Amino acid sequence: MRKIIFLILFVLLIISAFIALRFGSVGIEWREFWHSFTHPSEQGTAHSIIWLTRFPRVLAAVLVGAGLAAAGCALQGLLRNPLAEPYTLGISGGAALGAAVVTVFMPIHLGAWTTPVSAFFGAMVSVTLVYLIAGRRRFSVTGLILAGVILSFIFSSAVLLILTLASPLETNSILFWLIGSLSGDKVSIIKAIPFFIIPGIAILYLFGRDLDAIALGDEKAFHLGVEAIRVRQILFVVTSMVAGACIAAAGMVGFVGLIIPHAMRMMIGPGHKPLIIASSLAGAAFLVLADTVARTVLSRHGQELPVGVVTGIIGGMFFIILLLKQREKMSF
Amino acid sequence: MNTPILDVQNLTAGYGAKKVIQDVDFRVEQGRIAGIIGPNGAGKTTLFRVITRLIKPMAGEVRYCGKDTARMAARELARAVAVLPQTLALGFDFTVADFVRMGRLPHIGRWQSLQEKDMEIAEEMMRNTEVNGLSNRGITELSGGELQRVLLAQALAQEPELLLLDEPTSHLDIGHQVEIMDLVRKLNKEKNLTTIMVLHDLNLAGLYCDELILLSEGRIFAKGTPAEVLTYQNIEAVYKTVVVVKENPITKSPHILLVPKDKWNR
């Protein structure tokens, strides 16, 4: 049963990737589309759009979608909180502040790397602070959540302060990033983020059974041989690296890390090992499709939507339908 | 002389600087059912938490088969000692079958998956506790009695030498109380599974335990067989209430009858 669902999700991901490569602001005929697959070494307009523009972006969407969904899934288990998502523990505020500071005050110039590096750096600063504060409270669930939420709040306020000082152009660029967007040149970033996201997901998978035990409470977990505090320390760092890499690549794409693990839990149950695989596949497919919508909806006007808007609207509606179908029996 | 399965030596423990239990000293031999009893605040839960290693002793030690439990890794301890807690986080709706299989966790490595043998052990324990019919139900849908039996199945799947229970009957009606306690005794006899439990109900303690440890104000007030411990003198001194102790006509175990305060003079 689970294997069939994995297979379906995998096929869905492949189909989504084809759709994403085929459709966009520039129309490509099916004939040209297949030609660029069967003759990958030939040059041409269609070829360069598909392989140099769309492919890196699709790959970024796959990695970010998988990373956010897997990290969200792990954090929901780790904090025993169905409303946890990759940004719950303060990472988003730090990343936003890092990106905003660099956009407005420009202390560093790294070309295409400027925003990703500064966001990642900001994220790691906030993660370190949350780690230190939560450590004082023995990495309890409430300690982590409180530290995360409060730091997010402080950092977000600082971002708002910077926004009031910024020029309209800078404000626009920061806002686009805050909402989450996969636009821009992704060629360089996709050479870096796999090194964070892929091993990260693998580690989360290996800790799947520990997460199952922790879901029963720290004490029961201990009686099953799992030291919850240690696991939380390790996985907090791992999820932060994954989420940090995702934010660096795409800004703060919301909802993927929240709803995908939920939807998958309703389908295959709460066991974390299968759940992390299913969430990664579904998150990847979902973000690839959402980004295709974001690119194409306003393409006639020469504009594109930030993908965060699309994930928010589609994801939110999808989630409400799930909740209504579930009626009283909740899976958390 | 045999090494006792659990050897509690001059244990002092508490929270912060406050000592809740002091100089608690007792041992439990293999195959016995021991009960820890005492009024509220006597230190039963604290003692239980030290034995299950949730809190560290301030002085003294807890030895499992001669080994200091403070020096055992959590996984090593979980392979030998299974614990039924009083409360459980039921945030995620695992199926009963998956929940029981989690008992195999201390036996399987991070890189391994559940083997055929693990599945069989989980199956067997579900039959033992008569929850095999509930396999595909979610744990959040179970009644109190069902949940206790499922928890017991999970604990047994750990294949422990020692089973520790914290008030296993506290939320159950008398029918389900007897059902759970009968089950515990059956497992004790069939698997020679040493069992130690914290109990509130003195009559259940008298019915099912081979030996009792009566705590009062953090110290052991009396220990021995139910007949030795459950005397009206001991109970009146510790619980500060008047009781009459009679013999259960069928089991011959001591049975405690309560007397309201306005009848104490008679």
Side-chain angles (χ1 to χ4, degrees):
Chain A
M1 183 61 191
R2 275 174 190 162
K3 290 212 174 97
I4 296 171
I5 291 177
F6 291 158
L7 190 70
I8 293 172
L9 289 172
F10 185 71
V11 171
L12 210 65
L13 174 59
I14 300 293
I15 295 171
S16 317
F18 270 107
I19 293 173
L21 290 173
R22 166 70 177 78
F23 296 98
S25 52
V26 180
I28 294 172
E29 295 296 317
W30 280 109
R31 191 179 44 79
E32 291 175 287
F33 182 68
W34 293 122
H35 190 78
S36 70
F37 274 92
T38 46
H39 302 80
S41 56
E42 276 178 35
Q43 302 295 309
T45 323
H47 182 272
S48 80
I49 287 173
I50 289 171
W51 288 112
L52 299 179
T53 311
R54 288 185 191 163
F55 182 72
R57 185 163 175 168
V58 170
L59 201 57
V62 168
L63 288 163
V64 170
L68 287 177
C73 171
L75 278 171
Q76 288 173 6
L78 211 56
L79 301 175
R80 288 190 287 275
N81 189 328
L83 292 177
E85 53 156 353
Y87 312 136
T88 303
L89 297 182
I91 195 166
S92 53
L97 187 58
V101 165
V102 171
T103 309
V104 176
F105 304 112
M106 278 294 177
I108 51 168
H109 295 279
L110 299 167
W113 289 100
T114 311
T115 314
V117 168
S118 53
F120 191 76
F121 181 75
M124 290 307 116
V125 168
S126 74
V127 163
T128 310
L129 288 174
V130 171
Y131 191 96
L132 293 174
I133 296 171
R136 303 277 299 174
R137 301 191 46 160
R138 303 195 68 233
F139 277 88
S140 68
V141 170
T142 44
L144 268 172
I145 293 179
L146 281 177
V149 169
I150 289 166
L151 274 175
S152 278
F153 196 73
I154 296 173
F155 284 138
S156 307
S157 306
V159 170
L160 290 178
L161 176 68
I162 291 174
L163 279 177
T164 60
L165 302 173
S167 69
L169 197 69
E170 289 164 346
T171 308
N172 213 19
S173 120
I174 295 173
L175 270 183
F176 220 66
W177 187 86
L178 281 179
I179 299 165
S181 164
L182 281 159
S183 66
D185 182 8
K186 295 295 171 207
V187 176
S188 26
I189 194 80
I190 57 163
K191 287 176 188 150
I193 57 170
F195 295 103
F196 295 96
I197 295 175
I198 293 170
I201 294 176
I203 294 171
L204 297 180
Y205 174 78
L206 285 174
F207 276 89
R209 268 194 294 267
D210 302 64
L211 287 170
D212 290 347
I214 289 172
L216 305 180
D218 285 9
E219 294 187 357
K220 186 71 215 183
F222 179 77
H223 299 321
L224 291 170
V226 174
E227 286 176 87
I229 292 173
R230 275 210 69 84
V231 174
R232 259 202 299 276
Q233 281 175 325
I234 296 168
L235 294 194
F236 170 59
V237 173
V238 173
T239 52
S240 298
M241 298 297 270
V242 172
C246 294
I247 292 182
M252 274 161 348
V253 181
F255 251 58
V256 180
L258 179 65
I259 54 154
I260 296 291
H262 259 294
M264 292 302 112
R265 198 176 290 119
M266 289 174 185
M267 277 169 66
I268 63 168
H272 284 87
K273 276 201 156 179
L275 196 55
I276 280 168
I277 299 179
S279 297
S280 304
L281 291 170
F286 177 70
L287 196 59
V288 167
L289 285 178
D291 188 48
T292 311
V293 172
R295 280 187 291 131
T296 49
V297 164
L298 294 180
S299 62
R300 227 176 299 163
H301 307 282
Q303 283 189 316
E304 69 166 75
L305 286 173
V307 69
V309 171
V310 180
T311 57
I313 294 172
I314 299 181
M317 289 196 305
F318 175 64
F319 198 49
I320 287 174
I321 293 168
L322 272 183
L323 285 181
L324 291 178
K325 278 185 80 173
Q326 275 257 313
R327 273 175 273 124
E328 280 308 297
K329 192 191 153 243
M330 297 294 283
S331 71
F332 48 79
Chain B
M1 203 185 98
N2 280 345
T3 319
I5 196 154
L6 189 80
D7 191 352
V8 175
Q9 296 179 347
N10 296 314
L11 200 65
T12 298
Y15 306 92
K18 188 169 172 268
K19 291 173 182 171
V20 180
I21 54 169
Q22 284 188 61
D23 300 320
V24 171
D25 195 282
F26 68 93
R27 42 209 51 82
V28 178
E29 304 289 338
Q30 166 116 45
R32 309 283 285 175
I33 300 183
I36 299 168
I37 54 173
N40 295 335
K44 299 191 297 291
T45 303
T46 305
L47 176 58
F48 190 81
R49 290 170 70 84
V50 188
I51 296 174
T52 57
R53 238 194 68 181
L54 289 173
I55 55 176
K56 288 191 189 116
M58 293 170 174
E61 44 190 48
V62 178
R63 288 179 170 273
Y64 164 78
C65 289
K67 263 188 285 185
D68 186 355
T69 56
R71 291 173 203 281
M72 292 169 78
R75 270 172 69 84
E76 188 190 359
L77 195 65
R79 282 195 289 266
V81 182
V83 180
L84 235 72
Q86 227 191 112
T87 52
L88 188 70
L90 286 176
F92 295 95
D93 198 15
F94 291 98
T95 64
V96 167
D98 281 341
F99 184 80
V100 174
R101 284 181 200 132
M102 275 188 225
R104 299 304 297 159
L105 229 149
H107 296 274
I108 44 177
R110 196 173 298 296
W111 301 88
Q112 282 178 306
S113 53
L114 285 166
Q115 306 296 308
E116 200 58 39
K117 182 183 142 243
D118 298 305
M119 300 293 200
E120 280 165 19
I121 291 169
E123 278 287 319
E124 184 197 327
M125 301 313 165
M126 285 168 66
R127 279 195 301 275
N128 272 271
T129 56
E130 292 160 29
V131 291
N132 43 340
L134 305 174
S135 294
N136 294 319
R137 292 266 296 279
I139 48 167
T140 56
E141 305 164 21
L142 303 177
S143 71
E146 288 169 338
L147 185 61
Q148 281 298 2
R149 280 187 290 147
V150 168
L151 272 165
L152 207 49
Q154 188 196 54
L156 294 174
Q158 289 172 250
E159 295 188 300
E161 295 288 321
L162 175 61
L163 179 63
L164 301 172
L165 309 148
D166 189 6
E167 296 192 21
T169 58
S170 56
H171 305 300
L172 305 178
D173 62 53
I174 51 168
H176 286 99
Q177 287 181 0
V178 169
E179 183 186 84
I180 280 290
M181 297 298 276
D182 279 345
L183 185 56
V184 168
R185 189 160 61 185
K186 184 187 91 169
L187 296 166
N188 166 262
K189 294 284 170 290
E190 285 175 3
K191 298 176 192 290
N192 196 27
L193 178 61
T194 316
T195 304
I196 301 172
M197 49 191 153
V198 171
L199 284 171
H200 227 92
D201 188 317
L202 299 177
N203 292 327
L204 281 178
L207 275 171
Y208 289 95
C209 295
D210 302 316
E211 53 203 86
L212 292 178
I213 294 136
L214 174 60
L215 289 179
S216 174
E217 291 168 7
R219 292 170 190 275
I220 292 184
F221 189 89
K223 55 184 174 182
T225 63
E228 289 162 1
V229 174
L230 296 176
T231 61
Y232 79 90
Q233 294 95 330
N234 282 346
I235 293 166
E236 289 184 353
V238 169
Y239 288 85
K240 315 276 187 266
T241 188
V242 172
V243 295
V244 176
V245 178
K246 290 275 184 193
E247 191 186 76
N248 180 319
I250 295 172
T251 62
K252 309 294 177 211
S253 57
H255 192 90
I256 289 110
L257 303 170
L258 309 179
V259 184
K261 205 164 190 173
D262 55 355
K263 307 277 184 346
W264 282 9
N265 305 332
R266 297 165 68 187

